[in-house]
Amino acid sequence: MESGGLKDQRFMAARRRLIETIRSRGLDDLSILRLFEEVPRHHFLPPGVQSRAYEDAPLPIGWGQTASQPSLQAQTLQLLDVGPEDRVLEIGTGSGFFTALLARLADRVHSVERIRELSQRARRALDELEIRNVALLVGDGSIGWRKYGPYDRITVAAASPDIPPALLDQLAPSGRMVLPVGSRDLQELVLVEKDEEGEVVRNEAGDPCTFVPLLGRYGWPEE
Ligand code: SAM
């Protein structure tokens, strides 16, 4: 993995083209678009796919998993509305790229990944970019990470049959959660909002999408 930190200027023209693609899909929040220029996605990807890092596409990262599509990540960030004081829980660290985007917006990010090797690779990539406000855990994220909750924002990067009750429990009052919910093959991004009294409202907020399955206690069973 090459390291140039956040000053890594490789693929700058491709990064700008990606931003234009994301913008053309109706996502125009500048503070979010800027992140896709600032944070080098190629740095989080295996060498064989680094040259494709700025395509608006999911890309393989090993162990049968993918780095999510950038425009879907932009949409998730827009729905999450992360602020500088927020504590964020991410389920499905994967490559660690989205973790890095969250870390640039939030106070602290806690991220859970079930595949140890992916978590270790994400740790190295984050350390090389000197992104320090991230804690990683290897385990079943469908049960959350209770120790540091409740969280102001929760995001899940894998498809769930329903909203995992443990995550709802770990969402703070006035909190927001964004996750893909649906069948194993097709989902929709759902925005869950909890008000100050703890009442929950669920909105289908995005286009149809396909994520890898959330495997675990409140996800899909492992085959
Ligand atoms: N945001 C990541 C990225 O761009 O690299 C997305 C990674 S991928 C779409 C989803 C990740 O969720 C996979 O790495 C997968 O191993 C992980 N995953 C699936 N079920 C999980 C669970 N129960 N707990 C934690 N991670 C899980």
PDB file of all heavy atoms in Angstrom, residues 61 65-68 73 90-99 112-115 118 139-142 157-158 211-216, ligand 1:
ATOM      1  N   ILE A  61     -12.484  -6.217  -2.399  1.00  0.00           N
ATOM      2  CA  ILE A  61     -11.400  -5.957  -1.423  1.00  0.00           C
ATOM      3  C   ILE A  61     -10.898  -7.263  -0.783  1.00  0.00           C
ATOM      4  O   ILE A  61     -10.170  -7.241   0.193  1.00  0.00           O
ATOM      5  CB  ILE A  61     -11.858  -4.960  -0.323  1.00  0.00           C
ATOM      6  CG1 ILE A  61     -13.158  -5.431   0.363  1.00  0.00           C
ATOM      7  CG2 ILE A  61     -12.020  -3.564  -0.903  1.00  0.00           C
ATOM      8  CD1 ILE A  61     -13.557  -4.581   1.577  1.00  0.00           C
ATOM      9  N   GLN A  65     -15.725  -9.662  -0.191  1.00  0.00           N
ATOM     10  CA  GLN A  65     -16.369  -8.392   0.186  1.00  0.00           C
ATOM     11  C   GLN A  65     -16.029  -7.287  -0.807  1.00  0.00           C
ATOM     12  O   GLN A  65     -15.134  -7.458  -1.647  1.00  0.00           O
ATOM     13  CB  GLN A  65     -15.923  -7.979   1.600  1.00  0.00           C
ATOM     14  CG  GLN A  65     -16.160  -9.048   2.645  1.00  0.00           C
ATOM     15  CD  GLN A  65     -17.620  -9.483   2.719  1.00  0.00           C
ATOM     16  OE1 GLN A  65     -18.526  -8.658   2.630  1.00  0.00           O
ATOM     17  NE2 GLN A  65     -17.845 -10.788   2.874  1.00  0.00           N
ATOM     18  N   THR A  66     -16.758  -6.179  -0.711  1.00  0.00           N
ATOM     19  CA  THR A  66     -16.533  -5.061  -1.631  1.00  0.00           C
ATOM     20  C   THR A  66     -16.422  -3.742  -0.862  1.00  0.00           C
ATOM     21  O   THR A  66     -17.003  -3.599   0.220  1.00  0.00           O
ATOM     22  CB  THR A  66     -17.721  -4.909  -2.607  1.00  0.00           C
ATOM     23  OG1 THR A  66     -18.929  -4.816  -1.837  1.00  0.00           O
ATOM     24  CG2 THR A  66     -17.810  -6.058  -3.587  1.00  0.00           C
ATOM     25  N   ALA A  67     -15.687  -2.819  -1.458  1.00  0.00           N
ATOM     26  CA  ALA A  67     -15.745  -1.420  -1.013  1.00  0.00           C
ATOM     27  C   ALA A  67     -16.985  -0.836  -1.674  1.00  0.00           C
ATOM     28  O   ALA A  67     -17.197  -1.027  -2.869  1.00  0.00           O
ATOM     29  CB  ALA A  67     -14.500  -0.672  -1.451  1.00  0.00           C
ATOM     30  N   SER A  68     -17.800  -0.133  -0.905  1.00  0.00           N
ATOM     31  CA  SER A  68     -19.098   0.322  -1.419  1.00  0.00           C
ATOM     32  C   SER A  68     -18.938   1.387  -2.504  1.00  0.00           C
ATOM     33  O   SER A  68     -17.907   2.054  -2.611  1.00  0.00           O
ATOM     34  CB  SER A  68     -19.954   0.883  -0.281  1.00  0.00           C
ATOM     35  OG  SER A  68     -20.071  -0.064   0.742  1.00  0.00           O
ATOM     36  N   GLN A  73     -22.256   6.033  -0.833  1.00  0.00           N
ATOM     37  CA  GLN A  73     -21.652   6.515   0.408  1.00  0.00           C
ATOM     38  C   GLN A  73     -21.958   8.001   0.607  1.00  0.00           C
ATOM     39  O   GLN A  73     -22.253   8.440   1.727  1.00  0.00           O
ATOM     40  CB  GLN A  73     -20.142   6.273   0.380  1.00  0.00           C
ATOM     41  CG  GLN A  73     -19.803   4.780   0.388  1.00  0.00           C
ATOM     42  CD  GLN A  73     -18.315   4.511   0.376  1.00  0.00           C
ATOM     43  OE1 GLN A  73     -17.549   5.185  -0.315  1.00  0.00           O
ATOM     44  NE2 GLN A  73     -17.892   3.510   1.123  1.00  0.00           N
ATOM     45  N   GLU A  90     -20.064   2.572  13.136  1.00  0.00           N
ATOM     46  CA  GLU A  90     -20.134   2.033  11.768  1.00  0.00           C
ATOM     47  C   GLU A  90     -20.076   0.507  11.852  1.00  0.00           C
ATOM     48  O   GLU A  90     -19.205  -0.042  12.535  1.00  0.00           O
ATOM     49  CB  GLU A  90     -18.938   2.526  10.938  1.00  0.00           C
ATOM     50  CG  GLU A  90     -18.921   1.963   9.526  1.00  0.00           C
ATOM     51  CD  GLU A  90     -17.610   2.212   8.775  1.00  0.00           C
ATOM     52  OE1 GLU A  90     -16.527   2.174   9.383  1.00  0.00           O
ATOM     53  OE2 GLU A  90     -17.694   2.444   7.555  1.00  0.00           O
ATOM     54  N   ILE A  91     -20.993  -0.151  11.154  1.00  0.00           N
ATOM     55  CA  ILE A  91     -20.953  -1.608  11.091  1.00  0.00           C
ATOM     56  C   ILE A  91     -20.512  -2.008   9.679  1.00  0.00           C
ATOM     57  O   ILE A  91     -21.163  -1.638   8.697  1.00  0.00           O
ATOM     58  CB  ILE A  91     -22.343  -2.229  11.411  1.00  0.00           C
ATOM     59  CG1 ILE A  91     -22.905  -1.664  12.728  1.00  0.00           C
ATOM     60  CG2 ILE A  91     -22.238  -3.756  11.453  1.00  0.00           C
ATOM     61  CD1 ILE A  91     -22.036  -1.839  13.940  1.00  0.00           C
ATOM     62  N   GLY A  92     -19.406  -2.770   9.607  1.00  0.00           N
ATOM     63  CA  GLY A  92     -18.865  -3.177   8.305  1.00  0.00           C
ATOM     64  C   GLY A  92     -17.740  -2.252   7.886  1.00  0.00           C
ATOM     65  O   GLY A  92     -17.876  -1.495   6.916  1.00  0.00           O
ATOM     66  N   THR A  93     -16.603  -2.328   8.591  1.00  0.00           N
ATOM     67  CA  THR A  93     -15.457  -1.453   8.294  1.00  0.00           C
ATOM     68  C   THR A  93     -14.983  -1.659   6.851  1.00  0.00           C
ATOM     69  O   THR A  93     -14.616  -0.697   6.177  1.00  0.00           O
ATOM     70  CB  THR A  93     -14.271  -1.789   9.240  1.00  0.00           C
ATOM     71  OG1 THR A  93     -14.752  -1.936  10.571  1.00  0.00           O
ATOM     72  CG2 THR A  93     -13.192  -0.746   9.175  1.00  0.00           C
ATOM     73  N   GLY A  94     -14.953  -2.919   6.409  1.00  0.00           N
ATOM     74  CA  GLY A  94     -14.495  -3.223   5.050  1.00  0.00           C
ATOM     75  C   GLY A  94     -13.103  -2.677   4.793  1.00  0.00           C
ATOM     76  O   GLY A  94     -12.173  -2.959   5.539  1.00  0.00           O
ATOM     77  N   SER A  95     -12.973  -1.872   3.752  1.00  0.00           N
ATOM     78  CA  SER A  95     -11.668  -1.313   3.400  1.00  0.00           C
ATOM     79  C   SER A  95     -11.214  -0.230   4.377  1.00  0.00           C
ATOM     80  O   SER A  95     -10.032   0.098   4.436  1.00  0.00           O
ATOM     81  CB  SER A  95     -11.754  -0.684   2.006  1.00  0.00           C
ATOM     82  OG  SER A  95     -12.606   0.456   2.049  1.00  0.00           O
ATOM     83  N   GLY A  96     -12.163   0.386   5.084  1.00  0.00           N
ATOM     84  CA  GLY A  96     -11.833   1.494   5.992  1.00  0.00           C
ATOM     85  C   GLY A  96     -11.990   2.855   5.327  1.00  0.00           C
ATOM     86  O   GLY A  96     -11.837   3.890   5.985  1.00  0.00           O
ATOM     87  N   PHE A  97     -12.317   2.881   4.017  1.00  0.00           N
ATOM     88  CA  PHE A  97     -12.439   4.177   3.332  1.00  0.00           C
ATOM     89  C   PHE A  97     -13.588   5.006   3.913  1.00  0.00           C
ATOM     90  O   PHE A  97     -13.421   6.190   4.239  1.00  0.00           O
ATOM     91  CB  PHE A  97     -12.635   3.968   1.825  1.00  0.00           C
ATOM     92  CG  PHE A  97     -12.930   5.241   1.081  1.00  0.00           C
ATOM     93  CD1 PHE A  97     -11.990   6.251   1.001  1.00  0.00           C
ATOM     94  CD2 PHE A  97     -14.171   5.444   0.469  1.00  0.00           C
ATOM     95  CE1 PHE A  97     -12.267   7.447   0.331  1.00  0.00           C
ATOM     96  CE2 PHE A  97     -14.451   6.628  -0.210  1.00  0.00           C
ATOM     97  CZ  PHE A  97     -13.502   7.631  -0.275  1.00  0.00           C
ATOM     98  N   PHE A  98     -14.753   4.372   4.074  1.00  0.00           N
ATOM     99  CA  PHE A  98     -15.895   5.132   4.610  1.00  0.00           C
ATOM    100  C   PHE A  98     -15.631   5.531   6.079  1.00  0.00           C
ATOM    101  O   PHE A  98     -16.039   6.610   6.514  1.00  0.00           O
ATOM    102  CB  PHE A  98     -17.184   4.306   4.490  1.00  0.00           C
ATOM    103  CG  PHE A  98     -18.441   5.112   4.664  1.00  0.00           C
ATOM    104  CD1 PHE A  98     -18.741   6.163   3.827  1.00  0.00           C
ATOM    105  CD2 PHE A  98     -19.339   4.818   5.681  1.00  0.00           C
ATOM    106  CE1 PHE A  98     -19.908   6.920   3.989  1.00  0.00           C
ATOM    107  CE2 PHE A  98     -20.508   5.550   5.849  1.00  0.00           C
ATOM    108  CZ  PHE A  98     -20.786   6.609   5.003  1.00  0.00           C
ATOM    109  N   THR A  99     -14.919   4.670   6.785  1.00  0.00           N
ATOM    110  CA  THR A  99     -14.523   4.991   8.169  1.00  0.00           C
ATOM    111  C   THR A  99     -13.730   6.300   8.167  1.00  0.00           C
ATOM    112  O   THR A  99     -13.926   7.162   9.031  1.00  0.00           O
ATOM    113  CB  THR A  99     -13.632   3.851   8.731  1.00  0.00           C
ATOM    114  OG1 THR A  99     -14.127   2.595   8.309  1.00  0.00           O
ATOM    115  CG2 THR A  99     -13.544   3.909  10.237  1.00  0.00           C
ATOM    116  N   VAL A 112     -17.047  -1.685  13.489  1.00  0.00           N
ATOM    117  CA  VAL A 112     -16.991  -3.130  13.751  1.00  0.00           C
ATOM    118  C   VAL A 112     -16.954  -3.878  12.421  1.00  0.00           C
ATOM    119  O   VAL A 112     -17.732  -3.573  11.515  1.00  0.00           O
ATOM    120  CB  VAL A 112     -18.232  -3.589  14.558  1.00  0.00           C
ATOM    121  CG1 VAL A 112     -18.090  -5.063  14.960  1.00  0.00           C
ATOM    122  CG2 VAL A 112     -18.456  -2.714  15.799  1.00  0.00           C
ATOM    123  N   GLU A 113     -16.058  -4.850  12.317  1.00  0.00           N
ATOM    124  CA  GLU A 113     -15.931  -5.686  11.110  1.00  0.00           C
ATOM    125  C   GLU A 113     -15.778  -7.137  11.551  1.00  0.00           C
ATOM    126  O   GLU A 113     -15.036  -7.433  12.475  1.00  0.00           O
ATOM    127  CB  GLU A 113     -14.708  -5.224  10.293  1.00  0.00           C
ATOM    128  CG  GLU A 113     -14.276  -6.121   9.157  1.00  0.00           C
ATOM    129  CD  GLU A 113     -15.365  -6.363   8.113  1.00  0.00           C
ATOM    130  OE1 GLU A 113     -15.908  -5.409   7.570  1.00  0.00           O
ATOM    131  OE2 GLU A 113     -15.670  -7.570   7.862  1.00  0.00           O
ATOM    132  N   ARG A 114     -16.471  -8.062  10.852  1.00  0.00           N
ATOM    133  CA  ARG A 114     -16.394  -9.456  11.282  1.00  0.00           C
ATOM    134  C   ARG A 114     -15.179 -10.196  10.726  1.00  0.00           C
ATOM    135  O   ARG A 114     -14.793 -11.218  11.254  1.00  0.00           O
ATOM    136  CB  ARG A 114     -17.695 -10.217  10.948  1.00  0.00           C
ATOM    137  CG  ARG A 114     -18.061 -10.227   9.499  1.00  0.00           C
ATOM    138  CD  ARG A 114     -19.383 -10.905   9.280  1.00  0.00           C
ATOM    139  NE  ARG A 114     -19.278 -12.349   9.344  1.00  0.00           N
ATOM    140  CZ  ARG A 114     -18.847 -13.131   8.339  1.00  0.00           C
ATOM    141  NH1 ARG A 114     -18.456 -12.584   7.196  1.00  0.00           N
ATOM    142  NH2 ARG A 114     -18.804 -14.421   8.480  1.00  0.00           N
ATOM    143  N   ILE A 115     -14.557  -9.649   9.668  1.00  0.00           N
ATOM    144  CA  ILE A 115     -13.396 -10.327   9.070  1.00  0.00           C
ATOM    145  C   ILE A 115     -12.107  -9.664   9.579  1.00  0.00           C
ATOM    146  O   ILE A 115     -11.816  -8.501   9.256  1.00  0.00           O
ATOM    147  CB  ILE A 115     -13.479 -10.297   7.530  1.00  0.00           C
ATOM    148  CG1 ILE A 115     -14.764 -11.023   7.084  1.00  0.00           C
ATOM    149  CG2 ILE A 115     -12.244 -10.917   6.889  1.00  0.00           C
ATOM    150  CD1 ILE A 115     -15.068 -10.957   5.602  1.00  0.00           C
ATOM    151  N   LEU A 118      -9.593  -7.906   7.178  1.00  0.00           N
ATOM    152  CA  LEU A 118     -10.032  -6.603   6.644  1.00  0.00           C
ATOM    153  C   LEU A 118      -9.855  -5.514   7.706  1.00  0.00           C
ATOM    154  O   LEU A 118      -9.393  -4.409   7.405  1.00  0.00           O
ATOM    155  CB  LEU A 118     -11.500  -6.671   6.206  1.00  0.00           C
ATOM    156  CG  LEU A 118     -11.783  -7.445   4.914  1.00  0.00           C
ATOM    157  CD1 LEU A 118     -13.289  -7.463   4.632  1.00  0.00           C
ATOM    158  CD2 LEU A 118     -11.045  -6.824   3.724  1.00  0.00           C
ATOM    159  N   GLY A 139     -15.757  -8.405  15.224  1.00  0.00           N
ATOM    160  CA  GLY A 139     -16.851  -9.118  15.867  1.00  0.00           C
ATOM    161  C   GLY A 139     -18.137  -8.969  15.069  1.00  0.00           C
ATOM    162  O   GLY A 139     -18.130  -8.460  13.943  1.00  0.00           O
ATOM    163  N   ASP A 140     -19.233  -9.406  15.664  1.00  0.00           N
ATOM    164  CA  ASP A 140     -20.553  -9.328  15.027  1.00  0.00           C
ATOM    165  C   ASP A 140     -21.168  -7.951  15.302  1.00  0.00           C
ATOM    166  O   ASP A 140     -21.682  -7.688  16.391  1.00  0.00           O
ATOM    167  CB  ASP A 140     -21.456 -10.444  15.573  1.00  0.00           C
ATOM    168  CG  ASP A 140     -22.864 -10.348  15.007  1.00  0.00           C
ATOM    169  OD1 ASP A 140     -23.107  -9.511  14.108  1.00  0.00           O
ATOM    170  OD2 ASP A 140     -23.727 -11.114  15.468  1.00  0.00           O
ATOM    171  N   GLY A 141     -21.116  -7.096  14.298  1.00  0.00           N
ATOM    172  CA  GLY A 141     -21.643  -5.741  14.451  1.00  0.00           C
ATOM    173  C   GLY A 141     -23.156  -5.677  14.481  1.00  0.00           C
ATOM    174  O   GLY A 141     -23.717  -4.628  14.790  1.00  0.00           O
ATOM    175  N   SER A 142     -23.853  -6.778  14.152  1.00  0.00           N
ATOM    176  CA  SER A 142     -25.325  -6.697  14.209  1.00  0.00           C
ATOM    177  C   SER A 142     -25.801  -6.530  15.653  1.00  0.00           C
ATOM    178  O   SER A 142     -26.943  -6.146  15.884  1.00  0.00           O
ATOM    179  CB  SER A 142     -25.975  -7.922  13.539  1.00  0.00           C
ATOM    180  OG  SER A 142     -25.903  -9.057  14.359  1.00  0.00           O
ATOM    181  N   ALA A 157     -23.022  -0.880   6.623  1.00  0.00           N
ATOM    182  CA  ALA A 157     -22.607  -0.998   5.211  1.00  0.00           C
ATOM    183  C   ALA A 157     -22.928  -2.369   4.647  1.00  0.00           C
ATOM    184  O   ALA A 157     -22.366  -2.759   3.622  1.00  0.00           O
ATOM    185  CB  ALA A 157     -21.112  -0.717   5.087  1.00  0.00           C
ATOM    186  N   ALA A 158     -23.823  -3.112   5.296  1.00  0.00           N
ATOM    187  CA  ALA A 158     -24.190  -4.447   4.815  1.00  0.00           C
ATOM    188  C   ALA A 158     -25.704  -4.586   4.955  1.00  0.00           C
ATOM    189  O   ALA A 158     -26.330  -3.972   5.829  1.00  0.00           O
ATOM    190  CB  ALA A 158     -23.458  -5.514   5.616  1.00  0.00           C
ATOM    191  N   PHE A 211     -26.254  -4.450  -1.353  1.00  0.00           N
ATOM    192  CA  PHE A 211     -25.070  -4.537  -0.501  1.00  0.00           C
ATOM    193  C   PHE A 211     -24.780  -6.007  -0.193  1.00  0.00           C
ATOM    194  O   PHE A 211     -25.667  -6.859  -0.309  1.00  0.00           O
ATOM    195  CB  PHE A 211     -25.328  -3.809   0.831  1.00  0.00           C
ATOM    196  CG  PHE A 211     -25.209  -2.313   0.756  1.00  0.00           C
ATOM    197  CD1 PHE A 211     -26.238  -1.538   0.232  1.00  0.00           C
ATOM    198  CD2 PHE A 211     -24.080  -1.664   1.226  1.00  0.00           C
ATOM    199  CE1 PHE A 211     -26.137  -0.151   0.171  1.00  0.00           C
ATOM    200  CE2 PHE A 211     -23.965  -0.276   1.170  1.00  0.00           C
ATOM    201  CZ  PHE A 211     -24.996   0.476   0.644  1.00  0.00           C
ATOM    202  N   VAL A 212     -23.551  -6.290   0.227  1.00  0.00           N
ATOM    203  CA  VAL A 212     -23.253  -7.641   0.730  1.00  0.00           C
ATOM    204  C   VAL A 212     -24.076  -7.842   2.010  1.00  0.00           C
ATOM    205  O   VAL A 212     -24.419  -6.882   2.690  1.00  0.00           O
ATOM    206  CB  VAL A 212     -21.736  -7.840   1.019  1.00  0.00           C
ATOM    207  CG1 VAL A 212     -20.906  -7.660  -0.241  1.00  0.00           C
ATOM    208  CG2 VAL A 212     -21.248  -6.905   2.116  1.00  0.00           C
ATOM    209  N   PRO A 213     -24.406  -9.112   2.350  1.00  0.00           N
ATOM    210  CA  PRO A 213     -25.279  -9.329   3.498  1.00  0.00           C
ATOM    211  C   PRO A 213     -24.610  -9.047   4.850  1.00  0.00           C
ATOM    212  O   PRO A 213     -23.415  -9.288   5.021  1.00  0.00           O
ATOM    213  CB  PRO A 213     -25.638 -10.821   3.395  1.00  0.00           C
ATOM    214  CG  PRO A 213     -24.597 -11.418   2.539  1.00  0.00           C
ATOM    215  CD  PRO A 213     -24.090 -10.358   1.629  1.00  0.00           C
ATOM    216  N   LEU A 214     -25.400  -8.532   5.769  1.00  0.00           N
ATOM    217  CA  LEU A 214     -24.996  -8.439   7.173  1.00  0.00           C
ATOM    218  C   LEU A 214     -25.189  -9.835   7.762  1.00  0.00           C
ATOM    219  O   LEU A 214     -26.316 -10.346   7.817  1.00  0.00           O
ATOM    220  CB  LEU A 214     -25.900  -7.433   7.901  1.00  0.00           C
ATOM    221  CG  LEU A 214     -25.610  -7.210   9.382  1.00  0.00           C
ATOM    222  CD1 LEU A 214     -24.366  -6.333   9.570  1.00  0.00           C
ATOM    223  CD2 LEU A 214     -26.806  -6.560  10.088  1.00  0.00           C
ATOM    224  N   LEU A 215     -24.084 -10.467   8.153  1.00  0.00           N
ATOM    225  CA  LEU A 215     -24.164 -11.825   8.690  1.00  0.00           C
ATOM    226  C   LEU A 215     -24.042 -11.736  10.207  1.00  0.00           C
ATOM    227  O   LEU A 215     -23.187 -11.019  10.718  1.00  0.00           O
ATOM    228  CB  LEU A 215     -23.025 -12.688   8.125  1.00  0.00           C
ATOM    229  CG  LEU A 215     -22.981 -12.835   6.598  1.00  0.00           C
ATOM    230  CD1 LEU A 215     -21.746 -13.618   6.175  1.00  0.00           C
ATOM    231  CD2 LEU A 215     -24.252 -13.509   6.083  1.00  0.00           C
ATOM    232  N   GLY A 216     -24.904 -12.460  10.908  1.00  0.00           N
ATOM    233  CA  GLY A 216     -24.764 -12.422  12.366  1.00  0.00           C
ATOM    234  C   GLY A 216     -26.100 -12.520  13.053  1.00  0.00           C
ATOM    235  O   GLY A 216     -27.134 -12.778  12.431  1.00  0.00           O
TER     236      GLY A 216
HETATM  237  N1  SAM B   1     -17.800   0.807   3.804  1.00  0.00           N
HETATM  238  C1  SAM B   1     -17.035  -0.346   3.456  1.00  0.00           C
HETATM  239  C2  SAM B   1     -16.078   0.002   2.346  1.00  0.00           C
HETATM  240  O1  SAM B   1     -16.377   0.926   1.558  1.00  0.00           O
HETATM  241  O2  SAM B   1     -15.046  -0.629   2.237  1.00  0.00           O
HETATM  242  C3  SAM B   1     -18.035  -1.381   3.019  1.00  0.00           C
HETATM  243  C4  SAM B   1     -17.620  -2.771   3.163  1.00  0.00           C
HETATM  244  S1  SAM B   1     -18.665  -4.050   2.604  1.00  0.00           S
HETATM  245  C5  SAM B   1     -19.889  -3.385   1.589  1.00  0.00           C
HETATM  246  C6  SAM B   1     -19.564  -4.536   4.074  1.00  0.00           C
HETATM  247  C7  SAM B   1     -18.708  -5.116   5.163  1.00  0.00           C
HETATM  248  O3  SAM B   1     -19.593  -5.567   6.207  1.00  0.00           O
HETATM  249  C8  SAM B   1     -17.889  -6.338   4.768  1.00  0.00           C
HETATM  250  O4  SAM B   1     -16.533  -6.068   4.997  1.00  0.00           O
HETATM  251  C9  SAM B   1     -18.409  -7.451   5.666  1.00  0.00           C
HETATM  252  O5  SAM B   1     -17.411  -8.349   6.089  1.00  0.00           O
HETATM  253  C10 SAM B   1     -18.980  -6.656   6.819  1.00  0.00           C
HETATM  254  N2  SAM B   1     -19.977  -7.367   7.633  1.00  0.00           N
HETATM  255  C11 SAM B   1     -20.991  -8.193   7.260  1.00  0.00           C
HETATM  256  N3  SAM B   1     -21.676  -8.633   8.335  1.00  0.00           N
HETATM  257  C12 SAM B   1     -21.082  -8.056   9.419  1.00  0.00           C
HETATM  258  C13 SAM B   1     -21.331  -8.106  10.818  1.00  0.00           C
HETATM  259  N4  SAM B   1     -22.341  -8.834  11.352  1.00  0.00           N
HETATM  260  N5  SAM B   1     -20.527  -7.401  11.630  1.00  0.00           N
HETATM  261  C14 SAM B   1     -19.512  -6.653  11.138  1.00  0.00           C
HETATM  262  N6  SAM B   1     -19.226  -6.566   9.830  1.00  0.00           N
HETATM  263  C15 SAM B   1     -20.004  -7.252   8.977  1.00  0.00           C
END
